[in-house]
Amino acid sequence: MTPIYAQRHLLGTRSLTAPEITDLLDRADRYAAVNRSAEKKLAVLAGRTVVNLFYENSTRTRTSFELAAKRLGADVVNMQTGASSVAKGETLIDTAATLNAMHPDVLVVRHQDSGAVSLLSQKVNCAVVNAGDGKHEHPTQALLDALTIRRRKGRLAGLKVAICGDVLHSRVARSNIHLLAAMGAEVRLVAPRTLCIPGAESLGVSVFHDLRAGIADCDIVMMLRIQNERMSGGFIPSTREYFRFFGLDREKLAAAKPDALVMHPGPMNRGVEIDSDIADDVERSVIREQVEMGVAVRMAVLETLTLNLARGGDR
Ligand code: NCD
């Protein structure tokens, strides 16, 4: 079936429409069933080459892109930038041009600078997937979050979703804000004043600086990691103080709906933004399911982009 999303690259969720998102999630849903079956190998990407180029650390995103590509039958190359010519000073664009000369079909790129993946996408012939650029976007994370929510709640429209914690440094938050808004969910940001996006209200969200008030009556409580590696200077007094006010524990979670689901993109800092008691509570936490849906969503994205390449899609 021809994908509704017809562009060559997937760089963010900002420009995604509801029908495009729904089509990607429907495809991912079918792959989630494949992933739970014994025979997981398909030939959708047979003969295709996927290169993972990660300039930042990653566990979930890199392994799930690799598994997704392999399950679809592609050849996969993982570039470790620490062990490549990047460590010898090669620029991002030179590395991209070098890889491009080997004719990959899809380049999956994570980079510490916001906008770097978009820049790179203009210099190559293959499809490019943004696997996280600085604090800008992480579209496949927002898609896997949406799939997890849709499977549990049956819909996205009309749900109240609180995105809580270090929103300022979070590409996960930004991609989720755009996607959830496109799907008709009500998004709230809950963060200390020092860790909120300035002027966030212009993104169509409501802003809270108190965790209990922010998650009150919410269907989804999405916790974010304190991203120390993106901070220069002190944004919080101490992790103990942060947990007291913004860490999710059972007592604070009681403010949300009784059937509210708890999410976290990982990696978690237990005892900082989330209590282990909640993170490991299978009745409330869907954190493991998010990881599972990550593979399915990445299969759907790789399938969509290679189908678009085949018909010369480049809007
Ligand atoms: C996130 C990321 O790298 O943006 N993790 C992920 O992809 N699962 C969030 C984070 O690092 O806190």
Side-chain angles (χ1 to χ4, degrees), residues 56-62 110 131-134 137-138 140-141 144 169-173 223-227 229-230 264-269 273 291 298:
E56 266 191 5
N57 296 343
S58 173
T59 306
R60 279 150 284 267
T61 307
R62 203 197 55 72
R110 170 169 284 194
D133 64 324
E137 283 245 30
H138 190 356
T140 55
Q141 179 70 43
L144 76 87
H169 300 100
S170 178
R171 52 198 176 206
V172 175
M223 302 309 296
L224 299 171
R225 183 174 63 91
I226 287 281
Q227 294 165 76
E229 77 276 19
R230 298 192 201 291
H264 194 303
M268 278 185 276
N269 285 315
E273 69 265 359
V291 177
R298 284 156 186 142

Side-chain angles (χ1 to χ4, degrees), residues 267-313:
M268 278 185 276
N269 285 315
R270 291 169 181 265
V272 180
E273 69 265 359
I274 190 163
D275 195 4
S276 279
D277 177 39
I278 296 298
D280 300 330
D281 180 350
V282 291
E283 299 294 316
R284 309 304 298 271
S285 160
V286 291
I287 297 169
R288 294 284 170 268
E289 207 168 310
Q290 287 173 270
V291 177
E292 181 187 358
M293 292 311 128
V295 179
V297 152
R298 284 156 186 142
M299 290 168 86
V301 167
L302 291 174
E303 176 197 27
T304 296
L305 297 188
T306 44
L307 284 170
N308 290 348
L309 277 181
R311 57 196 180 105

